[in-house]
Amino acid sequence: MASTEGLTTEQRDFWAENGYLIIPNALSPETVDELLRESHQLLEDFSLDGHPMTKFTTGDDASSSAHVGDNYFLTSHDQIRFFFETAAFSSSGVLLKPKTRAINKIGHGLHLLSPAFRSATLTRGNLAIARDLGFSDPRVLQSMVICKQPEIGGAVPSHQDSTFLYTNPPSAVGFWYALEDCTESNGCLSFAPGSHRRCEVKKRFVRMEGGGTGFEDVQSAGEWSEEDETFVLGPVERGSLVLIHGNVLHKSERNTGMGSRFIYTFHVIEGENKYDEKNWLQPTAEGFSRLNDVE
Ligand SMILES: O=C(O)CCC(=O)C(=O)O
């Protein structure tokens, strides 16, 4: 589906230097339309009956309790589940928006259960890119649509994806496809170029022994401070692919506009690296999806 078959030398050099890479026109307009249609259909079809109303909160501060960790979230790896925007509720917990305009993200098993997302994920184009990034056994471990709803789409604080998708050694890479134009006003991504070379992963998001989730220090990490990093905006047009190194610091701001900012993203880890039972996201008995199987 990605019209690209691997990366050029120039693209690989940019990636190595900066820890991210923007590839315009990676999806055809027809595919973008299909994925958007599927996203809207899922939002129309899910039921609020019995829904735990789990909010997706992205506080990644170890001292904060503002991170999601209920059972609905922890067992979402092979399901299509719907996580709310915090700002969709009043202070007394009343849902203020229609459900289709209240969801922060849909995840984390779209690549397993939705034919449209599956065929946009397990592609030769994505495999060729993964190989060019150095993967031997690339495994897709999660997928999601992030909606950044009009007016209430929340900011995603600066983070490294390998904190949340930890392997030893770290290997996560995000494949982030824009389904709508992403601009400064609707909360496009921004990156600290080169931070993947300076900033080892300091902490990992784990299942806590007493239940829920929290952060654990990663012992080997050297000293660095996010305050020393400078972020650059990465606005992109719909159909673009953004590759995100698991160690690069990146974030997105609130959507203050009147339109949504839908994107589809899935993450890949190296199947040969150690993935342990502490991680919040656990594989099914079959293991994570092998990108090598598309050959
Ligand atoms: O889409 C966004 O706004 C943030 C996505 C992100 O940070 C990620 O996928 O790691």
Side-chain angles (χ1 to χ4, degrees):
M1 196 101 44
S3 57
T4 167
E5 284 291 332
L7 303 176
T8 63
T9 306
E10 201 181 16
Q11 287 173 323
R12 277 191 251 186
D13 289 349
F14 186 94
W15 167 262
E17 177 72 15
N18 295 288
Y20 72 97
L21 177 67
I22 295 171
I23 305 175
N25 303 313
L27 290 181
S28 69
E30 295 73 30
T31 302
V32 172
D33 285 344
E34 192 189 352
L35 297 182
L36 271 178
R37 208 167 30 244
E38 171 79 345
S39 306
H40 288 296
Q41 196 64 52
L42 290 168
L43 290 171
E44 286 291 341
D45 290 350
F46 90 95
S47 173
L48 289 178
D49 293 343
H51 193 292
M53 309 304 268
T54 305
K55 302 167 194 70
F56 185 70
T57 44
T58 48
D60 67 345
D61 171 355
S63 65
S64 159
S65 59
H67 40 260
V68 63
D70 67 0
N71 210 41
Y72 185 75
F73 174 76
L74 290 173
T75 57
S76 63
H77 59 293
D78 59 352
Q79 304 292 320
I80 297 179
R81 292 199 170 154
F82 300 83
F83 301 93
F84 283 87
E85 280 291 351
T86 307
F89 295 85
S90 71
S91 54
S92 56
V94 175
L95 185 59
L96 301 171
K97 300 274 179 185
K99 66 181 175 121
T100 53
R101 298 280 288 259
I103 293 300
N104 169 299
K105 74 172 184 181
I106 310 170
H108 291 90
L110 290 165
H111 65 294
L112 299 172
L113 298 177
S114 157
F117 284 109
R118 186 175 179 81
S119 27
T121 306
L122 303 175
T123 67
R124 284 170 181 250
N126 288 330
L127 173 61
I129 291 171
R131 291 212 169 130
D132 280 351
L133 297 180
F135 284 93
S136 308
D137 177 15
R139 301 286 186 123
V140 178
L141 78 169
Q142 67 160 15
S143 52
M144 53 198 174
V145 166
I146 300 176
C147 306
K148 280 268 192 207
Q149 300 283 357
E151 299 179 291
I152 59 164
V156 177
S158 167
H159 66 282
Q160 297 165 300
D161 289 346
S162 280
T163 294
F164 297 93
L165 303 168
Y166 187 76
T167 60
N168 191 2
S171 60
V173 168
F175 285 62
W176 188 100
Y177 283 101
L179 303 182
E180 297 182 297
D181 291 347
C182 301
T183 64
E184 186 170 2
S185 64
N186 71 11
C188 68
L189 292 173
S190 56
F191 309 92
S195 52
H196 67 302
R197 292 184 278 106
R198 294 182 289 274
C199 305
E200 278 185 278
V201 174
K202 281 183 182 172
K203 58 190 176 178
R204 52 182 292 203
F205 187 61
V206 294
R207 289 175 180 239
M208 303 299 275
E209 272 179 21
T213 54
F215 291 90
E216 188 180 276
D217 288 342
V218 174
Q219 295 306 330
S220 62
E223 274 309 304
W224 55 267
S225 167
E226 193 182 307
E227 276 153 32
D228 298 332
E229 299 293 330
T230 306
F231 285 79
V232 299
L233 287 169
V236 293
E237 290 183 356
R238 72 181 221 134
S240 302
L241 168 60
V242 185
L243 298 171
I244 306 171
H245 191 290
N247 284 38
V248 86
L249 288 162
H250 62 288
K251 61 182 179 175
S252 66
E253 303 303 332
R254 277 186 51 218
N255 181 1
T256 55
M258 297 305 287
S260 55
R261 192 226 65 179
F262 277 48
I263 66 94
Y264 172 59
T265 183
F266 63 88
H267 287 84
V268 172
I269 52 163
E270 174 52 59
E272 292 178 1
N273 294 9
K274 185 169 157 39
Y275 191 93
D276 68 29
E277 67 293 340
K278 285 185 181 175
N279 283 323
W280 78 268
L281 186 141
Q282 289 297 314
T284 53
E286 301 82 56
F288 296 128
S289 303
R290 285 166 49 88
L291 211 37
N292 281 341
D293 284 349
V294 302
E295 265 200 340

